[in-house]
């Protein structure tokens, strides 16, 4: 049966947007329209391959209502520097008649009080607040918060030197880290549009939270998975998270936003809070979907095959 939903992706050319767009192309027949937003004709060139496979290209600014007209669903895949503009994007989309919004989430469970005020997630929290306020004003507006833990391919990245096989990590090797592979997150996300929308309820009648995760284990065991996948040993130095927080504050005082974000996120992976099932350990929504995700080790084996 041909799909009925029209979906617009904002930021589809980015690190996360690309694999998600590829998954939408694979499942295109399940949707009425799949489109990407490009800011101008030059930007649109980036999507010529997707266009050849039936993806529409809509030109315009994500701050205007016009590009959103005629779409049921909008997913925001913009990167860190643009996250602070998402509330304006939500207002414009809602005014244009969009009824289902996916804000830029796909991260750890930021409901956990221990990371709710982390600098890295500041604009994501403001975006959640805007979604909630918009839903209160417009009962037709609903939204999905997609929680996946860290992208497995990105877990051992910042602070890691894979040529020298060494790393500096701020945290503790015994703390749990949860993650999901990028292809699986793309599949979960596309499939989530094809299952019934079940709202969280209570104070959030228009919000649906989905927690899906490929696996979780102590950080040190994830490092062992990497070592086995690559067939080589790494030298990993664990330092106090307070050191990174000090560097984050220095960056803030210097007006260096990228630095603030960098040092902030360095404190997450080995903190115990970089997980999708943070609020209630083990409580996940994987069983809403009909596939088994890659384990963390399987992702490393795939990612590093041919790169050893
Ligand atoms: N949990 C994790 O480990 C993890 C890892 C990665 C990402 N994420 C999440 O995924 C989301 C996306 O992050 P990302 O790293 O993929 O971001 P990114 O690589 O910076 O991509 C952002 C995209 O937005 C596009 N863009 C910028 N201005 C635009 C405009 N005016 N109109 C349309 N598109 C525009 C950019 O296009 P140009 O390049 O052409 O400027 C770029 O393709 C974020 O919410 C992030 O937190 C999570």
């Amino acid at each position: 049966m041909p799909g009925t939903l029209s979906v617009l992706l904002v930021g589809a050319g980015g690190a996360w947007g690309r694999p998600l767009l590829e998954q939408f192309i694979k499942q295109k027949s399940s949707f009425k329209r799949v489109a990407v937003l490009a800011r101008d004709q030059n930007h649109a060139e980036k999507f010529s391959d997707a266009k050849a496979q039936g993806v529409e290209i809509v030109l315009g600014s994500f701050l205007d209502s016009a590009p959103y007209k005629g779409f049921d669903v909008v997913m925001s895949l913009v990167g860190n520097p643009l996250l602070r503009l998402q509330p304006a994007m939500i207002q414009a989309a809602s005014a244009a008649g969009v009824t289902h919004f996916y804000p830029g989430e796909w991260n750890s469970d930021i409901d956990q009080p221990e990371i709710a005020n982390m600098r890295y997630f500041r604009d994501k929290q403001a975006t959640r607040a805007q979604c909630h306020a918009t839903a209160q004003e417009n009962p037709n507006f609903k939204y999905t918060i997609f929680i996946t833990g860290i992208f497995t391919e990105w877990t051992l990245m910042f602070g890691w030197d894979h040529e020298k096989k060494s790393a500096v990590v701020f945290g503790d090797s015994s703390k749990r880290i949860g993650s999901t592979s990028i292809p699986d997150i793309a599949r979960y996300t596309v499939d989530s549009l094809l299952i019934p929308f079940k709202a969280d309820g209570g104070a959030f009648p228009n919000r649906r939270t989905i927690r899906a995760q490929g696996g979780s284990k102590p950080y040190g065991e994830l490092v062992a998975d990497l070592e086995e996948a690559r067939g080589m040993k790494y030298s990993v130095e664990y330092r106090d998270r307070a050191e990174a927080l000090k560097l984050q504050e220095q960056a803030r005082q210097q007006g260096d936003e990228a630095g603030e974000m960098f040092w902030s996120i360095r404190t997450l992976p080995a903190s115990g809070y970089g997980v999708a099932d943070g609020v209630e350990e083990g409580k996940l929504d994987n069983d809403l979907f009909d596939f088994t995700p890659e384990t963390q080790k399987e992702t490393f084996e795939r990612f590093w095959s041919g790169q050893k």
Side-chain angles (χ1 to χ4, degrees):
M1 199 174 70
T4 55
L5 287 177
S6 295
V7 186
L8 177 68
L9 308 179
V10 181
W16 162 226
R18 275 281 162 202
L20 181 61
L21 178 57
E22 277 167 28
Q23 188 62 38
F24 266 109
I25 290 170
K26 281 187 196 149
Q27 293 180 242
K28 227 191 115 290
S29 61
S30 301
F31 299 94
K32 187 173 165 196
R33 297 166 68 196
V34 174
V36 298
L37 183 74
R39 54 185 169 270
D40 53 35
Q41 195 52 52
N42 197 32
H43 194 212
E45 300 300 326
K46 270 192 153 183
F47 302 109
S48 48
D49 284 3
K51 191 178 173 188
Q53 295 175 83
V55 171
E56 288 178 46
I57 301 178
V58 175
L59 293 185
S61 163
F62 62 65
L63 298 175
D64 293 339
S65 277
Y68 301 113
K69 291 217 167 89
F71 289 98
D72 308 296
V73 183
V74 170
M75 293 188 178
S76 168
L77 317 166
V78 298
N80 286 341
L82 294 180
L83 289 179
R84 75 167 79 76
L85 295 177
Q86 287 189 118
M89 189 191 292
I90 292 161
Q91 282 183 308
S94 169
V98 169
T99 53
H100 191 173
F101 195 88
Y102 281 63
E105 287 268 342
W106 298 284
N107 38 240
S108 302
D109 188 350
I110 63 174
D111 261 348
Q112 296 170 95
E114 296 85 353
I115 58 167
N117 294 316
M118 203 171 141
R119 171 60 184 90
Y120 194 80
F121 298 123
R122 182 193 70 187
D123 298 331
K124 294 195 177 215
Q125 296 287 12
T127 300
R128 283 186 176 199
Q130 182 64 43
C131 284
H132 184 52
T134 303
Q136 283 178 317
E137 282 163 20
N138 172 7
N140 294 324
F141 179 88
K142 57 186 197 269
Y143 60 105
T144 294
I145 300 287
F146 220 106
I147 301 179
T148 58
I150 300 170
F151 292 7
T152 303
E153 293 86 338
W154 289 48
T155 46
L156 307 182
M157 180 185 273
F158 301 113
W160 283 75
D161 184 329
H162 289 287
E163 273 187 21
K164 292 188 181 147
K165 296 182 283 303
S166 63
V168 173
V169 176
F170 295 95
D172 185 328
S173 67
S174 68
K175 300 288 187 186
R176 198 165 65 98
I177 175 168
S179 67
T180 311
S181 80
I182 294 172
D184 287 337
I185 298 174
R187 212 169 147 192
Y188 280 130
T189 302
V190 175
D191 283 355
S192 71
L193 282 173
L194 304 173
I195 59 175
F197 184 96
K198 187 169 175 293
D200 294 344
F204 299 98
N206 290 23
R207 183 181 84 180
R208 170 175 70 164
T209 305
I210 299 180
R211 293 181 170 82
Q213 184 166 268
S216 75
K217 57 178 53 168
Y219 191 91
E221 289 183 20
L222 191 71
V223 174
D225 282 351
L226 170 73
E227 291 177 328
E228 278 182 41
R230 291 202 74 192
M232 47 186 77
K233 283 281 172 201
Y234 276 69
S235 147
V236 184
E237 182 189 344
Y238 290 92
R239 293 192 191 158
D240 194 328
R241 291 169 73 231
E243 281 183 49
L245 292 173
K246 210 167 153 187
L247 292 165
Q248 175 195 320
E249 174 56 12
Q250 274 175 19
R252 186 189 72 81
Q253 289 180 13
Q254 288 161 3
D256 171 10
E257 187 179 35
E260 256 189 278
M261 295 290 271
F262 175 78
W263 290 112
S264 174
I265 199 63
R266 291 285 301 271
T267 67
L268 184 68
S271 68
Y273 304 112
V275 292
D277 53 339
V279 169
E280 205 178 317
E281 188 174 332
K283 193 172 176 304
L284 290 166
D285 301 306
N286 290 23
D287 59 3
L288 290 177
F289 304 92
D290 64 1
F291 69 95
T292 305
E294 270 182 349
T295 64
Q296 293 160 306
K297 192 170 176 197
E298 284 166 348
T299 302
F300 287 149
E301 285 165 353
R302 172 178 54 77
F303 185 77
W304 287 104
S305 67
Q307 295 192 56
K308 289 181 186 174

